[in-house]
PDB file of all heavy atoms in Angstrom:
ATOM      1  N   LEU A1470       0.884  -1.232   0.026  1.00 93.00           N
ATOM      2  CA  LEU A1470       0.001   0.046  -0.027  1.00 93.00           C
ATOM      3  C   LEU A1470       0.919   1.258   0.041  1.00 93.00           C
ATOM      4  O   LEU A1470       1.749   1.415   0.917  1.00 93.00           O
ATOM      5  CB  LEU A1470      -0.875   0.014   1.222  1.00 93.00           C
ATOM      6  CG  LEU A1470      -1.912   1.127   1.396  1.00 93.00           C
ATOM      7  CD1 LEU A1470      -3.158   0.657   2.149  1.00 93.00           C
ATOM      8  CD2 LEU A1470      -1.373   2.394   2.044  1.00 93.00           C
ATOM      9  N   VAL A1471       0.656   2.073  -0.977  1.00 95.00           N
ATOM     10  CA  VAL A1471       1.350   3.409  -1.028  1.00 95.00           C
ATOM     11  C   VAL A1471       0.266   4.497  -1.190  1.00 95.00           C
ATOM     12  O   VAL A1471      -0.469   4.521  -2.152  1.00 95.00           O
ATOM     13  CB  VAL A1471       2.351   3.505  -2.227  1.00 95.00           C
ATOM     14  CG1 VAL A1471       3.019   4.920  -2.100  1.00 95.00           C
ATOM     15  CG2 VAL A1471       3.475   2.405  -2.163  1.00 95.00           C
ATOM     16  N   ALA A1472       0.179   5.300  -0.175  1.00 97.00           N
ATOM     17  CA  ALA A1472      -0.808   6.496  -0.181  1.00 97.00           C
ATOM     18  C   ALA A1472      -0.057   7.814  -0.129  1.00 97.00           C
ATOM     19  O   ALA A1472       0.705   7.897   0.936  1.00 97.00           O
ATOM     20  CB  ALA A1472      -1.812   6.287   0.951  1.00 97.00           C
ATOM     21  N   GLY A1473      -0.314   8.603  -1.060  1.00 96.00           N
ATOM     22  CA  GLY A1473       0.463   9.914  -1.004  1.00 96.00           C
ATOM     23  C   GLY A1473      -0.454  11.138  -1.176  1.00 96.00           C
ATOM     24  O   GLY A1473      -1.554  11.042  -1.702  1.00 96.00           O
ATOM     25  N   PHE A1474       0.078  12.229  -0.797  1.00 97.00           N
ATOM     26  CA  PHE A1474      -0.724  13.513  -0.992  1.00 97.00           C
ATOM     27  C   PHE A1474       0.250  14.645  -1.013  1.00 97.00           C
ATOM     28  O   PHE A1474       1.347  14.627  -0.425  1.00 97.00           O
ATOM     29  CB  PHE A1474      -1.795  13.709   0.163  1.00 97.00           C
ATOM     30  CG  PHE A1474      -1.129  13.833   1.483  1.00 97.00           C
ATOM     31  CD1 PHE A1474      -0.791  15.116   2.036  1.00 97.00           C
ATOM     32  CD2 PHE A1474      -0.920  12.670   2.286  1.00 97.00           C
ATOM     33  CE1 PHE A1474      -0.212  15.196   3.337  1.00 97.00           C
ATOM     34  CE2 PHE A1474      -0.334  12.757   3.579  1.00 97.00           C
ATOM     35  CZ  PHE A1474      -0.006  14.057   4.129  1.00 97.00           C
ATOM     36  N   PRO A1475      -0.066  15.710  -1.816  1.00 97.00           N
ATOM     37  CA  PRO A1475       0.805  16.917  -1.850  1.00 97.00           C
ATOM     38  C   PRO A1475       0.513  17.736  -0.643  1.00 97.00           C
ATOM     39  O   PRO A1475      -0.628  18.035  -0.237  1.00 97.00           O
ATOM     40  CB  PRO A1475       0.363  17.598  -3.029  1.00 97.00           C
ATOM     41  CG  PRO A1475      -0.961  17.210  -3.332  1.00 97.00           C
ATOM     42  CD  PRO A1475      -1.139  15.794  -2.782  1.00 97.00           C
ATOM     43  N   ALA A1476       1.558  18.117   0.077  1.00 95.00           N
ATOM     44  CA  ALA A1476       1.450  18.875   1.383  1.00 95.00           C
ATOM     45  C   ALA A1476       1.891  20.307   1.245  1.00 95.00           C
ATOM     46  O   ALA A1476       2.944  20.588   0.602  1.00 95.00           O
ATOM     47  CB  ALA A1476       2.147  18.283   2.469  1.00 95.00           C
ATOM     48  N   GLY A1477       1.222  21.282   1.795  1.00 89.00           N
ATOM     49  CA  GLY A1477       1.659  22.680   1.860  1.00 89.00           C
ATOM     50  C   GLY A1477       1.565  23.426   0.649  1.00 89.00           C
ATOM     51  O   GLY A1477       1.138  22.991  -0.522  1.00 89.00           O
ATOM     52  N   SER A1478       2.118  24.781   0.702  1.00 89.00           N
ATOM     53  CA  SER A1478       2.032  25.593  -0.403  1.00 89.00           C
ATOM     54  C   SER A1478       2.882  25.298  -1.525  1.00 89.00           C
ATOM     55  O   SER A1478       2.717  25.730  -2.757  1.00 89.00           O
ATOM     56  CB  SER A1478       2.450  27.027   0.170  1.00 89.00           C
ATOM     57  OG  SER A1478       3.739  27.054   0.714  1.00 89.00           O
ATOM     58  N   LEU A1479       3.949  24.444  -1.301  1.00 91.00           N
ATOM     59  CA  LEU A1479       4.802  23.969  -2.343  1.00 91.00           C
ATOM     60  C   LEU A1479       4.507  22.600  -2.885  1.00 91.00           C
ATOM     61  O   LEU A1479       5.257  22.089  -3.791  1.00 91.00           O
ATOM     62  CB  LEU A1479       6.316  24.061  -1.871  1.00 91.00           C
ATOM     63  CG  LEU A1479       6.887  25.442  -1.582  1.00 91.00           C
ATOM     64  CD1 LEU A1479       8.245  25.456  -1.197  1.00 91.00           C
ATOM     65  CD2 LEU A1479       6.627  26.461  -2.802  1.00 91.00           C
ATOM     66  N   GLY A1480       3.479  21.951  -2.423  1.00 94.00           N
ATOM     67  CA  GLY A1480       2.984  20.754  -2.851  1.00 94.00           C
ATOM     68  C   GLY A1480       3.990  19.612  -2.753  1.00 94.00           C
ATOM     69  O   GLY A1480       4.066  18.829  -3.636  1.00 94.00           O
ATOM     70  N   ALA A1481       4.783  19.517  -1.647  1.00 97.00           N
ATOM     71  CA  ALA A1481       5.742  18.451  -1.578  1.00 97.00           C
ATOM     72  C   ALA A1481       5.021  17.089  -1.221  1.00 97.00           C
ATOM     73  O   ALA A1481       4.146  17.078  -0.338  1.00 97.00           O
ATOM     74  CB  ALA A1481       6.664  18.738  -0.344  1.00 97.00           C
ATOM     75  N   ASN A1482       5.249  16.088  -2.005  1.00 98.00           N
ATOM     76  CA  ASN A1482       4.610  14.839  -1.748  1.00 98.00           C
ATOM     77  C   ASN A1482       4.958  14.112  -0.520  1.00 98.00           C
ATOM     78  O   ASN A1482       6.223  13.879  -0.213  1.00 98.00           O
ATOM     79  CB  ASN A1482       4.786  13.965  -2.977  1.00 98.00           C
ATOM     80  CG  ASN A1482       4.228  14.397  -4.170  1.00 98.00           C
ATOM     81  OD1 ASN A1482       3.056  14.902  -4.205  1.00 98.00           O
ATOM     82  ND2 ASN A1482       4.886  14.107  -5.376  1.00 98.00           N
ATOM     83  N   CYS A1483       4.000  13.766   0.336  1.00 98.00           N
ATOM     84  CA  CYS A1483       4.192  12.992   1.512  1.00 98.00           C
ATOM     85  C   CYS A1483       3.587  11.661   1.175  1.00 98.00           C
ATOM     86  O   CYS A1483       2.531  11.486   0.644  1.00 98.00           O
ATOM     87  CB  CYS A1483       3.499  13.678   2.690  1.00 98.00           C
ATOM     88  SG  CYS A1483       3.528  12.517   4.213  1.00 98.00           S
ATOM     89  N   TYR A1484       4.334  10.573   1.612  1.00 98.00           N
ATOM     90  CA  TYR A1484       3.925   9.175   1.260  1.00 98.00           C
ATOM     91  C   TYR A1484       3.779   8.329   2.562  1.00 98.00           C
ATOM     92  O   TYR A1484       4.576   8.527   3.469  1.00 98.00           O
ATOM     93  CB  TYR A1484       4.833   8.476   0.322  1.00 98.00           C
ATOM     94  CG  TYR A1484       5.007   9.184  -1.043  1.00 98.00           C
ATOM     95  CD1 TYR A1484       6.088   9.940  -1.305  1.00 98.00           C
ATOM     96  CD2 TYR A1484       4.036   8.963  -2.007  1.00 98.00           C
ATOM     97  CE1 TYR A1484       6.295  10.577  -2.513  1.00 98.00           C
ATOM     98  CE2 TYR A1484       4.156   9.547  -3.253  1.00 98.00           C
ATOM     99  CZ  TYR A1484       5.402  10.361  -3.481  1.00 98.00           C
ATOM    100  OH  TYR A1484       5.435  10.968  -4.733  1.00 98.00           O
ATOM    101  N   LEU A1485       2.769   7.465   2.628  1.00 98.00           N
ATOM    102  CA  LEU A1485       2.726   6.531   3.722  1.00 98.00           C
ATOM    103  C   LEU A1485       2.801   5.147   3.047  1.00 98.00           C
ATOM    104  O   LEU A1485       2.057   4.881   1.962  1.00 98.00           O
ATOM    105  CB  LEU A1485       1.466   6.604   4.550  1.00 98.00           C
ATOM    106  CG  LEU A1485       1.461   7.831   5.475  1.00 98.00           C
ATOM    107  CD1 LEU A1485       1.036   9.065   4.769  1.00 98.00           C
ATOM    108  CD2 LEU A1485       0.473   7.498   6.646  1.00 98.00           C
ATOM    109  N   VAL A1486       3.720   4.255   3.401  1.00 97.00           N
ATOM    110  CA  VAL A1486       3.945   2.982   2.832  1.00 97.00           C
ATOM    111  C   VAL A1486       3.883   1.867   3.784  1.00 97.00           C
ATOM    112  O   VAL A1486       4.442   1.912   4.851  1.00 97.00           O
ATOM    113  CB  VAL A1486       5.336   3.058   2.185  1.00 97.00           C
ATOM    114  CG1 VAL A1486       5.572   1.779   1.326  1.00 97.00           C
ATOM    115  CG2 VAL A1486       5.708   4.305   1.354  1.00 97.00           C
ATOM    116  N   ALA A1487       3.151   0.803   3.363  1.00 96.00           N
ATOM    117  CA  ALA A1487       2.902  -0.403   4.206  1.00 96.00           C
ATOM    118  C   ALA A1487       2.676  -1.545   3.432  1.00 96.00           C
ATOM    119  O   ALA A1487       2.350  -1.413   2.335  1.00 96.00           O
ATOM    120  CB  ALA A1487       1.605  -0.106   5.142  1.00 96.00           C
ATOM    121  N   PRO A1488       2.947  -2.732   4.041  1.00 94.00           N
ATOM    122  CA  PRO A1488       2.655  -4.023   3.337  1.00 94.00           C
ATOM    123  C   PRO A1488       1.207  -4.134   2.899  1.00 94.00           C
ATOM    124  O   PRO A1488       0.849  -4.751   1.824  1.00 94.00           O
ATOM    125  CB  PRO A1488       2.972  -5.078   4.284  1.00 94.00           C
ATOM    126  CG  PRO A1488       3.948  -4.424   5.235  1.00 94.00           C
ATOM    127  CD  PRO A1488       3.512  -3.082   5.324  1.00 94.00           C
ATOM    128  N   GLY A1489       0.212  -3.534   3.606  1.00 94.00           N
ATOM    129  CA  GLY A1489      -1.120  -3.421   3.266  1.00 94.00           C
ATOM    130  C   GLY A1489      -1.960  -2.706   4.355  1.00 94.00           C
ATOM    131  O   GLY A1489      -1.396  -2.280   5.371  1.00 94.00           O
ATOM    132  N   ALA A1490      -3.234  -2.667   4.084  1.00 96.00           N
ATOM    133  CA  ALA A1490      -4.057  -1.981   5.052  1.00 96.00           C
ATOM    134  C   ALA A1490      -4.079  -2.760   6.465  1.00 96.00           C
ATOM    135  O   ALA A1490      -3.907  -3.968   6.462  1.00 96.00           O
ATOM    136  CB  ALA A1490      -5.589  -1.906   4.586  1.00 96.00           C
ATOM    137  N   GLY A1491      -4.177  -1.934   7.484  1.00 97.00           N
ATOM    138  CA  GLY A1491      -4.119  -2.651   8.907  1.00 97.00           C
ATOM    139  C   GLY A1491      -2.768  -2.922   9.355  1.00 97.00           C
ATOM    140  O   GLY A1491      -2.574  -3.618  10.357  1.00 97.00           O
ATOM    141  N   GLU A1492      -1.785  -2.597   8.622  1.00 98.00           N
ATOM    142  CA  GLU A1492      -0.377  -2.980   8.940  1.00 98.00           C
ATOM    143  C   GLU A1492       0.378  -1.739   9.453  1.00 98.00           C
ATOM    144  O   GLU A1492      -0.017  -0.637   9.480  1.00 98.00           O
ATOM    145  CB  GLU A1492       0.320  -3.533   7.705  1.00 98.00           C
ATOM    146  CG  GLU A1492      -0.367  -4.679   7.008  1.00 98.00           C
ATOM    147  CD  GLU A1492       0.057  -5.933   7.616  1.00 98.00           C
ATOM    148  OE1 GLU A1492       0.840  -6.056   8.527  1.00 98.00           O
ATOM    149  OE2 GLU A1492      -0.498  -6.994   7.154  1.00 98.00           O
ATOM    150  N   GLN A1493       1.751  -2.010   9.872  1.00 98.00           N
ATOM    151  CA  GLN A1493       2.556  -1.019  10.256  1.00 98.00           C
ATOM    152  C   GLN A1493       2.979  -0.239   8.932  1.00 98.00           C
ATOM    153  O   GLN A1493       2.881  -0.745   7.841  1.00 98.00           O
ATOM    154  CB  GLN A1493       3.796  -1.462  10.898  1.00 98.00           C
ATOM    155  CG  GLN A1493       3.603  -2.081  12.269  1.00 98.00           C
ATOM    156  CD  GLN A1493       4.859  -2.572  12.967  1.00 98.00           C
ATOM    157  OE1 GLN A1493       5.880  -2.894  12.256  1.00 98.00           O
ATOM    158  NE2 GLN A1493       4.812  -2.721  14.262  1.00 98.00           N
ATOM    159  N   CYS A1494       3.419   1.010   9.173  1.00 98.00           N
ATOM    160  CA  CYS A1494       3.761   1.831   7.903  1.00 98.00           C
ATOM    161  C   CYS A1494       4.978   2.721   8.289  1.00 98.00           C
ATOM    162  O   CYS A1494       5.313   2.975   9.444  1.00 98.00           O
ATOM    163  CB  CYS A1494       2.659   2.665   7.416  1.00 98.00           C
ATOM    164  SG  CYS A1494       2.210   4.014   8.388  1.00 98.00           S
ATOM    165  N   VAL A1495       5.642   3.182   7.171  1.00 98.00           N
ATOM    166  CA  VAL A1495       6.577   4.310   7.267  1.00 98.00           C
ATOM    167  C   VAL A1495       5.969   5.611   6.603  1.00 98.00           C
ATOM    168  O   VAL A1495       5.136   5.492   5.615  1.00 98.00           O
ATOM    169  CB  VAL A1495       7.976   3.924   6.726  1.00 98.00           C
ATOM    170  CG1 VAL A1495       8.541   2.761   7.463  1.00 98.00           C
ATOM    171  CG2 VAL A1495       7.760   3.677   5.254  1.00 98.00           C
ATOM    172  N   ILE A1496       6.399   6.664   7.114  1.00 98.00           N
ATOM    173  CA  ILE A1496       5.905   8.051   6.547  1.00 98.00           C
ATOM    174  C   ILE A1496       7.110   8.631   5.885  1.00 98.00           C
ATOM    175  O   ILE A1496       8.171   8.833   6.577  1.00 98.00           O
ATOM    176  CB  ILE A1496       5.332   8.850   7.648  1.00 98.00           C
ATOM    177  CG1 ILE A1496       4.127   8.173   8.330  1.00 98.00           C
ATOM    178  CG2 ILE A1496       4.954  10.210   7.095  1.00 98.00           C
ATOM    179  CD1 ILE A1496       3.727   8.831   9.567  1.00 98.00           C
ATOM    180  N   ILE A1497       6.968   9.096   4.660  1.00 98.00           N
ATOM    181  CA  ILE A1497       8.112   9.659   3.891  1.00 98.00           C
ATOM    182  C   ILE A1497       7.813  11.106   3.725  1.00 98.00           C
ATOM    183  O   ILE A1497       6.830  11.440   3.092  1.00 98.00           O
ATOM    184  CB  ILE A1497       8.356   8.969   2.583  1.00 98.00           C
ATOM    185  CG1 ILE A1497       8.843   7.493   2.818  1.00 98.00           C
ATOM    186  CG2 ILE A1497       9.470   9.629   1.839  1.00 98.00           C
ATOM    187  CD1 ILE A1497       8.952   6.635   1.595  1.00 98.00           C
ATOM    188  N   ASP A1498       8.694  12.001   4.254  1.00 98.00           N
ATOM    189  CA  ASP A1498       8.697  13.447   3.935  1.00 98.00           C
ATOM    190  C   ASP A1498       7.321  14.114   4.446  1.00 98.00           C
ATOM    191  O   ASP A1498       6.627  14.645   3.526  1.00 98.00           O
ATOM    192  CB  ASP A1498       8.881  13.703   2.447  1.00 98.00           C
ATOM    193  CG  ASP A1498      10.396  13.535   2.068  1.00 98.00           C
ATOM    194  OD1 ASP A1498      11.170  13.201   2.911  1.00 98.00           O
ATOM    195  OD2 ASP A1498      10.659  13.764   0.888  1.00 98.00           O
ATOM    196  N   PRO A1499       7.077  14.184   5.622  1.00 98.00           N
ATOM    197  CA  PRO A1499       5.965  14.952   6.149  1.00 98.00           C
ATOM    198  C   PRO A1499       6.194  16.473   6.149  1.00 98.00           C
ATOM    199  O   PRO A1499       6.887  16.963   7.102  1.00 98.00           O
ATOM    200  CB  PRO A1499       5.661  14.442   7.549  1.00 98.00           C
ATOM    201  CG  PRO A1499       7.069  14.007   7.949  1.00 98.00           C
ATOM    202  CD  PRO A1499       7.788  13.516   6.825  1.00 98.00           C
ATOM    203  N   GLY A1500       5.872  17.200   5.130  1.00 95.00           N
ATOM    204  CA  GLY A1500       6.234  18.583   4.982  1.00 95.00           C
ATOM    205  C   GLY A1500       5.243  19.545   5.592  1.00 95.00           C
ATOM    206  O   GLY A1500       4.585  19.310   6.519  1.00 95.00           O
ATOM    207  N   GLU A1501       5.141  20.711   5.004  1.00 92.00           N
ATOM    208  CA  GLU A1501       4.287  21.832   5.544  1.00 92.00           C
ATOM    209  C   GLU A1501       2.810  21.372   5.661  1.00 92.00           C
ATOM    210  O   GLU A1501       2.212  20.828   4.666  1.00 92.00           O
ATOM    211  CB  GLU A1501       4.379  23.076   4.632  1.00 92.00           C
ATOM    212  CG  GLU A1501       3.530  24.251   5.088  1.00 92.00           C
ATOM    213  CD  GLU A1501       3.443  25.286   4.008  1.00 92.00           C
ATOM    214  OE1 GLU A1501       3.848  25.038   2.914  1.00 92.00           O
ATOM    215  OE2 GLU A1501       2.929  26.334   4.395  1.00 92.00           O
ATOM    216  N   ASP A1502       2.197  21.450   6.792  1.00 94.00           N
ATOM    217  CA  ASP A1502       0.815  21.256   6.975  1.00 94.00           C
ATOM    218  C   ASP A1502       0.479  19.800   6.662  1.00 94.00           C
ATOM    219  O   ASP A1502      -0.656  19.508   6.250  1.00 94.00           O
ATOM    220  CB  ASP A1502      -0.074  22.185   6.268  1.00 94.00           C
ATOM    221  CG  ASP A1502       0.050  23.707   6.657  1.00 94.00           C
ATOM    222  OD1 ASP A1502       0.333  23.983   7.847  1.00 94.00           O
ATOM    223  OD2 ASP A1502      -0.040  24.581   5.897  1.00 94.00           O
ATOM    224  N   ALA A1503       1.425  18.822   6.937  1.00 97.00           N
ATOM    225  CA  ALA A1503       1.172  17.493   6.605  1.00 97.00           C
ATOM    226  C   ALA A1503       0.459  16.739   7.674  1.00 97.00           C
ATOM    227  O   ALA A1503       0.008  15.524   7.394  1.00 97.00           O
ATOM    228  CB  ALA A1503       2.425  16.773   6.276  1.00 97.00           C
TER     229      ALA A1503
END
């Protein structure tokens, strides 16, 4: 599972990555207002 969204005024992509729903995950690049 890879879920991402653009954060903040510069639209930096933040991603959450996990083996699947209901699992542990890592968060990549939580930027402005993320």
Side-chain angles (χ1 to χ4, degrees):
L1470 184 153
V1471 180
F1474 61 92
S1478 57
L1479 297 179
N1482 290 325
C1483 176
Y1484 299 101
L1485 285 82
V1486 189
E1492 304 273 358
Q1493 293 182 336
C1494 74
V1495 297
I1496 301 165
I1497 298 176
D1498 287 359
E1501 181 192 8
D1502 297 330

